[in-house]
């Protein structure tokens, strides 16, 4: 069957112009998010929402998407419990905690848009993809994939996993996050505030590894040191040391400054791409495409990982000697389990971007690629001669993708790392109910969601290129991820309503031997602390309440469900889409 004809598009940055979104069935997970993103990409809405969506052209040919909760979950609360998100988010508190924001449904919504874009791209390249399916449970497993990988590694964590962590509080009550990647700046900051040398030394390792462990059991002397100084003194200590601090902002503050921008930006330029190659397989819609990835840590590597799962060949650009994070413990067969979670299956080429000869070699590689992706610090690509203008000169059909912290949307913003962006955008309020102080999660919420949005942006760019013949630059950011995650709460704040969820919202219920999670808005059970988890669930199910056990040890997920092992014996979560 030939793919449906689609109207030609003039110079535009909307790859879905000429297509219409139709929805059916009962309301589905994140259907509003899916509709909004498709509308921003050019699709015409019908005004309905549902768990089944279709993008159709003028001749009624199109692709459908179906979003489900999964095999165990019935809503956001039970999805977080079943996939280990409550366990990871609750590590800093010493017990499982639910995220008050709809994190798994948001991730599933972005994955659904990805599936639709990838399917349309495959159809435009001659494939017969007609549908895609995404489950919220698989989205949740993807979100905790690094933590799952560490739980199934051969060795223990390199840093202690115990309650504790930022933010800190000044003497005048300002709650703030601290960030630095430099141990020297860390030590200088605390010396300025008079913290004991031994506490400073002991605090660096948990601080450095908090991105990996989702907790940071600092010596209490560090918290005492910040409480002994006013905010202006803390800020001066950061300025003089090279560290950065950011006071926690409220959702109301973010609502006032919010500019309404989408979470990504697509910029098309001169027509140059005609498209070629064999039709891709149904289950690998990006087969035949090449992605060059120069990414570090989580955001850009996850973006490239998703493109690889969709069938693209991904080539990592690594520094001489290889990515140092390959050796980050815990390991499987000598390779970092967390690194494998984001980078398995990728090829690697070592390039010294400080060398003129190697930069020339990288430009030559980009001339034959479909996508070039990086998350370098602002201005670095321009300084190296590797920005969009530089690479598109040799490859006008290139999709050039930049996944950043702030996307140049907030002047004077601090370092664009996950926890600093959480602090600056009110995420701490959005993820905690009203009876808990606003605290950013130590689970890397925005790095993961930012990686998902980066892949969505690249797919939109590839589809735009396919339909218009243009090369494209795409930009996404952690700021965009924060705005997507907090949108419902931020909208309530903008209307003058309380943006926070009520006291106790999504808080698991303790049993005699574990925890259970109730569906959102379910009536709390009678005291079940004297009952086993199995007995408590039995009673709740008899009364018609679809409660689930809370996964508290991620290792339990490795012995059941869809988790597999790769060639290094490292845990691997399932591909989040099903194409047919």
């Amino acid at each position: 069957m030939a793919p449906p004809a689609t109207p030609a598009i003039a110079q535009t940055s909307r790859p879905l112009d000429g297509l219409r979104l139709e929805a059916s069935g009962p309301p589905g997970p994140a259907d509003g998010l899916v509709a909004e993103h498709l509308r921003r990409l050019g699709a015409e809405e019908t005004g309905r929402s549902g768990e089944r969506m279709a993008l159709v052209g003028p001749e009624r040919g199109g692709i459908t998407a179906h979003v489900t909760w999964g095999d165990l979950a019935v809503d956001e609360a039970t999805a977080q419990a079943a996939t280990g998100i409550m366990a990871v988010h609750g590590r800093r508190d010493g017990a499982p905690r639910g995220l008050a924001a709809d994190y798994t449904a948001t991730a599933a919504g972005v994955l659904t848009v990805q599936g639709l874009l990838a399917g349309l791209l495959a159809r435009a390249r001659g494939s017969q993809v007609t549908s895609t399916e995404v489950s919220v449970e698989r989205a949740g497993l993807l979100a905790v994939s690094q933590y799952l990988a560490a739980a199934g590694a051969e060795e223990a964590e390199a840093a202690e996993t115990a309650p504790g962590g930022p933010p800190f509080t000044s003497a005048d009550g300002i709650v703030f996050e601290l960030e630095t990647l430099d141990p020297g700046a860390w030590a200088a900051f605390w010396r300025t505030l008079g913290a004991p040398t031994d506490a400073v030394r002991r605090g660096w390792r948990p601080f450095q590894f908090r991105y990996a462990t989702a907790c940071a059991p600092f010596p209490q002397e560090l918290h005492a040191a910040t409480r002994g100084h006013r905010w202006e003194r803390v800020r001066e200590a950061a300025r003089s040391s090279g560290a950065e601090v950011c006071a926690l902002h409220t959702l109301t503050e973010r609502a006032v400054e919010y500019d309404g921008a989408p979470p990504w930006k697509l910029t098309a330029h001169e027509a140059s791409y005609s498209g070629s190659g064999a039709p891709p397989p149904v289950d690998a819609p990006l087969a035949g495409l090449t992605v060059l990835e120069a990414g570090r840590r989580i955001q850009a590597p996850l973006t490239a990982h998703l493109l690889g799962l969709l069938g693209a060949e991904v080539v990592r650009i690594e520094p001489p000697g290889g990515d140092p994070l390959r050796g980050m413990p815990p390991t499987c067969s000598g390779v970092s389990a967390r690194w494998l979670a984001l980078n398995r299956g990728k090829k690697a080429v070592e390039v010294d971007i400080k060398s003129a000869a190697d930069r020339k070699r990288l430009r030559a590689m980009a001339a034959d690629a479909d996508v070039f992706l990086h998350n370098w610090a602002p201005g670095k690509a321009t300084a190296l001669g590797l920005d969009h203008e530089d690479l598109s000169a040799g490859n006008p059909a290139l999709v050039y993708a930049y996944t950043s912290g702030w996307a140049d949307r907030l002047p004077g913003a601090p370092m664009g790392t996950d926890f600093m962006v959480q602090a600056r955008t009110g995420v701490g309020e959005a993820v905690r109910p009203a009876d808990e102080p606003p605290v950013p999660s130590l689970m890397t919420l925005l790095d993961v969601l930012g990686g998902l949005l980066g892949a969505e942006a690249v797919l939109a760019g590839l589809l735009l290129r396919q339909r218009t013949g243009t090369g494209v630059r795409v930009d996404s950011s952690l700021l965009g991820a924060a705005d997507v995650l907090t949108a419902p709460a931020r909208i309530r704040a903008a209307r003058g309503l309380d943006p926070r969820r009520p006291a106790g919202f999504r808080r698991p219920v303790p049993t005699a031997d574990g925890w259970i999670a109730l569906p959102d808005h379910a009536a709390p059970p009678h005291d079940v602390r004297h009952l086993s988890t199995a007995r408590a669930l039995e009673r709740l199910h008899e009364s018609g309440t679809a409660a689930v056990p809370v996964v508290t040890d991620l290792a339990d997920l490795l012995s059941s469900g869809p988790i597999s092992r790769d060639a290094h014996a490292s845990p691997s979560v399932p591909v989040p889409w099903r194409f047919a």
Side-chain angles (χ1 to χ4, degrees):
M1 181 180 70
T6 53
I9 307 175
Q11 285 289 66
T12 177
S13 295
R14 293 157 56 94
L16 300 185
D17 275 352
L19 300 182
R20 184 173 66 257
L21 171 65
E22 297 181 350
S24 61
D31 50 4
L33 180 151
V34 174
E36 179 191 355
H37 284 209
L38 296 176
R39 175 182 58 80
R40 286 181 179 267
L41 291 170
E44 177 188 350
E45 288 185 77
T46 62
R48 285 202 57 189
S49 62
E51 63 183 8
R52 293 183 183 273
M53 286 152 281
L55 281 172
V56 298
E59 298 181 3
R60 301 294 299 173
I63 182 169
T64 62
H66 184 205
V67 193
T68 70
W69 284 108
D71 296 329
L72 300 175
V74 298
D75 70 347
E76 178 69 28
T78 51
Q80 290 187 24
T83 59
I85 286 177
M86 285 188 174
V88 176
H89 173 59
R91 285 180 180 177
R92 74 175 311 281
D93 298 295
R97 287 284 188 277
L99 291 161
D102 293 345
Y103 191 75
T104 61
T106 299
V110 176
L111 288 165
T112 301
V113 177
Q114 291 175 15
L116 286 166
L117 293 171
L120 285 171
L121 178 61
R123 288 173 68 84
R125 298 173 64 210
S127 178
Q128 296 187 21
V129 176
T130 58
S131 67
T132 182
E133 180 177 322
V134 173
S135 79
V136 176
E137 283 182 17
R138 288 196 173 205
L141 292 174
L142 178 67
V144 297
S145 59
Q146 291 187 87
Y147 306 101
L148 274 168
E154 301 164 346
E155 56 189 2
E157 288 281 10
E160 181 185 7
T161 54
F168 300 95
T169 306
S170 67
D172 43 349
I174 302 298
V175 181
F176 66 93
E177 282 281 347
L178 167 69
E179 184 65 281
T180 179
L181 307 178
D182 179 1
W186 164 268
F189 172 81
W190 291 110
R191 279 199 305 269
T192 302
L193 298 182
T197 300
D198 182 63
V200 175
R201 179 187 59 78
R202 289 184 288 117
W204 170 247
R205 191 169 185 83
F207 179 81
Q208 182 185 26
F209 276 87
R210 71 197 190 284
Y211 283 90
T213 61
C215 59
F218 296 147
Q220 286 303 308
E221 294 94 328
L222 300 186
H223 287 283
T226 64
R227 288 194 295 267
H229 298 276
R230 297 181 65 81
W231 175 232
E232 188 49 46
R233 176 58 175 156
V234 171
R235 294 179 66 191
E236 176 54 37
R239 283 191 293 266
S240 64
S241 66
E244 295 197 38
V245 292
C246 179
L248 266 62
H249 282 53
T250 66
L251 288 164
T252 299
E253 290 173 314
R254 180 63 190 141
V256 168
E257 68 182 6
Y258 178 58
D259 58 7
W264 18 245
K265 179 181 178 182
L266 278 64
T267 307
H269 54 85
E270 64 181 282
S272 58
Y273 181 73
S274 59
S276 61
V282 168
D283 60 351
L286 299 192
L289 303 182
T290 300
V291 176
L292 287 184
E293 175 226 323
R296 293 290 306 277
R297 295 183 175 269
I298 299 173
Q299 186 186 14
L302 177 56
T303 292
H305 176 63
L306 292 166
L307 300 175
L309 292 179
L310 287 166
E313 177 181 75
V314 180
V315 180
R316 272 182 60 79
I317 305 303
E318 299 189 358
D323 186 348
L325 294 181
R326 286 176 181 266
M328 181 181 181
T331 63
C332 290
S333 302
V335 182
S336 169
R338 288 193 182 86
W339 189 91
L340 286 168
L342 300 178
N343 296 293
R344 67 169 55 89
K346 299 177 183 178
K347 298 181 179 180
V349 175
E350 294 183 13
V351 175
D352 182 1
I353 58 175
K354 298 178 182 178
S355 159
D358 271 16
R359 291 197 299 274
K360 181 179 180 180
R361 183 162 64 99
L362 182 54
R363 283 190 284 269
M365 294 171 63
D368 294 324
D370 296 281
V371 178
F372 179 80
L373 164 70
H374 74 89
N375 63 343
W376 293 327
K380 184 173 181 179
T382 301
L384 293 170
L386 298 172
D387 206 352
H388 173 238
E389 291 76 11
D390 304 303
L391 298 189
S392 62
N395 182 0
L398 186 69
V399 174
Y400 184 100
Y402 180 34
T403 59
S404 67
W406 300 104
D408 293 327
R409 287 171 53 197
L410 281 183
M415 187 185 304
T417 58
D418 189 307
F419 305 139
M420 294 295 265
V421 179
Q422 284 197 52
R424 181 62 179 77
T425 57
V427 172
E429 276 195 340
V431 300
R432 296 272 175 171
D435 57 338
E436 298 178 18
V439 176
S441 178
L442 280 176
M443 180 178 164
T444 51
L445 301 180
L446 300 188
D447 273 333
V448 170
L449 187 54
L452 294 177
L453 288 166
E456 181 182 309
V458 170
L459 288 163
L462 286 168
L463 182 60
L464 182 64
R465 181 183 76 160
Q466 186 72 33
R467 297 189 71 194
T468 66
T470 61
V472 185
R473 171 173 177 143
V474 301
D475 291 87
S476 61
S477 65
L478 299 182
L479 175 61
D483 286 337
V484 168
L485 180 62
T486 63
R490 190 186 66 249
I491 290 170
R492 291 195 297 271
R495 295 172 177 168
L497 305 174
D498 185 353
R500 305 190 70 194
R501 298 289 194 171
F505 183 71
R506 287 193 188 140
R507 191 167 297 154
V509 177
T511 65
D513 59 355
W515 302 80
I516 57 174
L518 303 175
D520 286 339
H521 313 303
H526 297 295
D527 189 357
V528 295
R529 286 175 293 181
H530 64 290
L531 297 177
S532 69
T533 298
R535 182 58 181 147
L537 289 171
E538 182 181 347
R539 286 194 176 183
L540 287 165
H541 293 167
E542 288 171 352
S543 66
T545 301
V548 301
V550 177
V551 171
T552 55
D553 184 352
L554 297 189
D556 292 342
L557 291 171
L558 305 178
S559 58
S560 61
I563 308 299
S564 60
R565 297 271 182 171
D566 66 13
H568 295 270
S570 179
S572 175
V573 302
V575 174
W577 321 268
R578 291 190 179 98
F579 292 96

